[in-house]
């Protein structure tokens, strides 16, 4: 079966030719038809700490803003208004490098800085039709939730996204982690230190928006993130995706496929999930489970080899 799946991937993959956010979006254009009717497109990365997955996310944001009229970007994990990023992209107030220094650590990268600067540049050129950060501005004032468990975190992530959409009618690009964005109803995250099984934000957003919620999984095979990450175990979906031997590609999981391929896409699997704490000696333990590739994602953007994200140097200009 693996050979049949690999052949299908090679035949149906849309090869991506660059990681440069400033490059033309020609190679990404097949994505337009995949997400055309979406109100929310989620970019869920299997790790936040690689250059390639972040650079591709930036390129996809540009595509969705410029080609399909998306006007809100949700950066998962912090509130852009808290650190002043919303003020910067709307009016240029502040130094984005200094502002990102006050955000959560995984925002403190050159890749996120590039996104923020691009949003500011876009707004200078389109003052009457700006792009903005989605936030919690529309939430009831004075609300200061305490999360007793991860299920509460997932619920709030979904509620904030739904509330922002209802209040603005903006189409939203949701940039976050794969554990949160996959259509998991439920799904299991391992390790935690013990596996956590619950309904996640992606599952709630799919219930609310239906086909208007499109889940893109950004996966990889091996590399550095920034620690060495060996190839995934053979039973992981990432092993087959990487086995196609293509450096980077977009794959529509809803495309027509023979029975053997559809069986592979629909059967329960695991896909790697790597956070800030990772032990290469226990590689197989870091994964998402409790569903199939076709359950979790409408399409995948797969990169065979990754390199570390470039963390901001506070001393740089």
């Amino acid at each position: 079966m693996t050979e049949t799946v690999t052949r299908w991937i090679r035949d149906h993959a849309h090869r991506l030719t660059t990681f440069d956010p400033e490059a033309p979006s020609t190679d990404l254009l097949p994505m337009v038809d995949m997400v055309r009717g979406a109100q929310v497109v989620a970019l869920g990365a299997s790790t936040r700490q690689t250059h390639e997955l972040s650079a591709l996310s930036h390129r996809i944001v540009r595509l969705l803003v410029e080609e399909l009229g998306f006007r809100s970007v949700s950066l998962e994990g912090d509130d852009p208004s808290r650190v002043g990023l919303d003020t910067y992209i709307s009016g240029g107030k502040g130094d984005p490098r200094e502002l990102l220094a006050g955000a959560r650590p995984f925002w403190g990268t050159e890749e996120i800085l590039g996104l923020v600067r691009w949003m500011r540049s876009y707004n200078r050129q389109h003052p009457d039709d700006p792009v903005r950060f989605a936030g919690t501005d529309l939430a009831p004032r004075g609300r200061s939730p305490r999360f007793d468990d991860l299920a509460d975190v997932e619920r709030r992530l979904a509620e904030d996204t739904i509330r922002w959409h209802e209040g603005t009618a903006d189409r939203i690009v949701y940039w976050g982690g794969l554990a949160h964005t996959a259509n998991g109803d439920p799904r299991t995250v391992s390790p935690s230190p013990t596996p956590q099984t619950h309904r996640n934000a992606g599952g709630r957003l799919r219930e609310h928006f239906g086909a208007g919620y499109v889940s893109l999984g950004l996966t990889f095979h091996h590399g550095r993130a920034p620690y060495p990450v060996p190839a995934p175990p053979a039973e992981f979906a990432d092993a087959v995706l990487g086995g196609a031997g293509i450096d980077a590609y977009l794959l529509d999981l809803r495309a027509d496929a023979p029975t053997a391929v559809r069986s592979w896409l629909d059967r329960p699997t695991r896909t790697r999930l790597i956070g800030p704490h990772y032990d290469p000696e226990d590689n197989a333990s870091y994964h998402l489970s409790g569903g199939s590739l076709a359950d979790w994602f409408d399409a995948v953007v797969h990169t065979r080899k990754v390199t570390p994200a470039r963390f901001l140097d506070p001393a740089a200009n």
Side-chain angles (χ1 to χ4, degrees), residues 151 154-155 158 162 184 199-209:
E154 301 294 341
R155 175 186 53 76
I162 293 167
R199 191 182 192 199
N200 73 338
R204 293 177 180 275
L205 291 170
R206 174 59 58 82
E207 179 185 53
H208 181 84
F209 290 103

Side-chain angles (χ1 to χ4, degrees), residues 173-191:
V173 191
Y174 186 115
W175 179 328
L178 182 150
H180 305 296
T181 64
N183 176 32
D185 200 10
R187 56 89 176 102
T188 300
V189 175
S190 303

